[in-house]
Amino acid sequence: MSDRLNEDSLADLPEGVRRPAYDRRGVKTGIVHLGVGAFHRAHQAVYTDDVLGEDPQWGIVAASLRSSDTYDALQPQDGLYTLSVRSKEGEALRIVGSIRRVIVAPRAADDLLDAMADPQTRIVTLTVTEKGYCHDPATGTLNEDHPDIVHDLAYRRTPRSAPGFIVEALRRRRLAGVPPFTVLTCDNLPSNGRTVKRVLARFAELVDPELGRFVANEVPCPSTMVDRIVPATSDQDRERIGETLGVEDAWPVVTEPFTQWVIEDRFPQGRPAWENAGAEFVTDVEPYEHMKLRLLNGSHSTLAYLGYLAGYETVADTMTDPAFVRLIEGLMDEEVTPTLHMPPGADLTSYKRALIERFKNPALKHRTWQIAMDGSQKLPQRLLGTVRDRLRDGASIARLSLGVAAWMRYVTGIDEKGAPIDVRDPMAARLRELADRAGGSAERLASALFGVREIFGDDLPKDPRFTEAVTENLTRLYEKGAKRTVSEFGAD
Ligand code: CS2
């Protein structure tokens, strides 16, 4: 028996470890996925794995747009990996088989473009994170100065970016008379289908105006709301899972029991029956997307910046502090919920109650530092959209502005004890420079950061209700630290 998880060792795994209930040899490729990170492998790949038995035409070819880590780990495993679902009740393991092949895009652009242009491929899914769309986060339009976009317009056969690959593949399909695939974005962007369409259509227009019109008019880009908390896998996870399996899995994913996928049903070239795996098909995703981005992700980012500054390593650690729980409940109930417009039957009260329990899940080691990444790309849809709605209604933004202030304090790159923070953000250097020039003054820092138009747009920096609330909270964070600010918040 092999000492590695793969086709040969599958039959010898312990009972109780679920494995593909279909013959993988009969599976065809119907989906190409861009961005094969932990989230994809714990979400869309699992929904697909659930339905391959009924319909084997929807296997996945998955591409990494950057590193070869996933390829190196999954190649010797025949694409197989373990999904570990953890809660305080314990751990359930399952082997997922829906990924047929992994491509490392930077060294095999042709191979990836061939797979995308193949008529059998009818859907291209994406989880490339917010920054992978090379767009301006405040406006949702293509950033034409982005180095990858500049590169991809000059070298169309060897793209680097997701828009570059998708548009080149669509161009080839069109030339060959093959109908376009459906582009299914699964990232936490506002109106993600519309945003990806805008970015792709503009990129295509820059290649050739006619191609631009074709993408704008003919390429279906349904919106989705995706939800599952999937922290980065740790060495401890790998060891524990390997021990249970009796073979090594170099690339397992660890997640929570909860999972949700809401999708607009626009797939002219067909799609898997993901509803049989629990996905919900609707005509309008927006209410669900607002609910999730504002309640879950808005709370997550607020917890991440404040929790990190207060010295908490994980979200679950942060949630052991009752003052943080109070703050998040107040943020959700008082400031976010009034901005949501849910269809009849949606039960926000139980959704929020479940969210608090999900954040408290002690079995997930979701680092505040991980969620704090890429704040410049996340703030607009997680906090600032809600801020705009609240200001329009003349309502309080006391807690929302504390989240924004905590982000400002975090991106200075120096923590409350004077130690460096490893700030990961495409704008980190620019933000750091602005912070250094502000020299530790809350007022100067806030006003310098309000000037970053890509995040705050043109409107918010002009609204004193916003700038004053953020500056006051930032002053508190400097004077009292995050822990005391949160514990005093709402106490009087
Ligand atoms: C998190 C999300 O890392 C982050 O920014 O807020 O990845 C979050 O865990 C998922 O959106 C949950 O669905």
Side-chain angles (χ1 to χ4, degrees), residues 357-374:
E357 291 315 307
R358 292 171 65 194
F359 291 158
K360 285 182 176 169
N361 184 347
L364 289 190
K365 307 280 175 238
H366 203 181
R367 295 176 68 195
T368 47
W369 174 81
Q370 189 189 348
I371 300 165
M373 271 185 221
D374 294 343

Side-chain angles (χ1 to χ4, degrees), residues 172-226:
R172 294 184 187 188
R173 288 176 84 103
R174 183 163 176 255
L175 266 182
V178 175
F181 42 67
T182 299
V183 177
L184 193 66
T185 158
C186 298
D187 280 295
N188 290 311
L189 296 174
S191 311
N192 58 5
R194 248 179 294 154
T195 303
V196 75
K197 164 84 101 175
R198 198 182 304 116
V199 164
L200 295 177
R202 177 64 185 149
F203 184 96
E205 189 186 8
L206 293 171
V207 174
D208 163 12
E210 208 179 304
L211 187 64
R213 277 192 292 279
F214 171 77
V215 171
N217 298 329
E218 310 287 334
V219 178
C221 299
S223 282
T224 62
M225 182 269 254
V226 291

Side-chain angles (χ1 to χ4, degrees), residues 39 43 130 188 226-231 256 292-293 296-298 300-301 358-359 366-367 370-373 378 382:
F39 182 74
H43 193 273
E130 295 85 348
N188 290 311
V226 291
D227 190 8
R228 193 165 214 186
I229 294 177
V230 191
E256 59 176 344
K292 194 263 172 170
L293 288 177
L296 189 155
N297 297 109
H300 239 182
S301 290
R358 292 171 65 194
F359 291 158
H366 203 181
R367 295 176 68 195
Q370 189 189 348
I371 300 165
M373 271 185 221
K378 293 175 174 172
R382 295 184 177 207

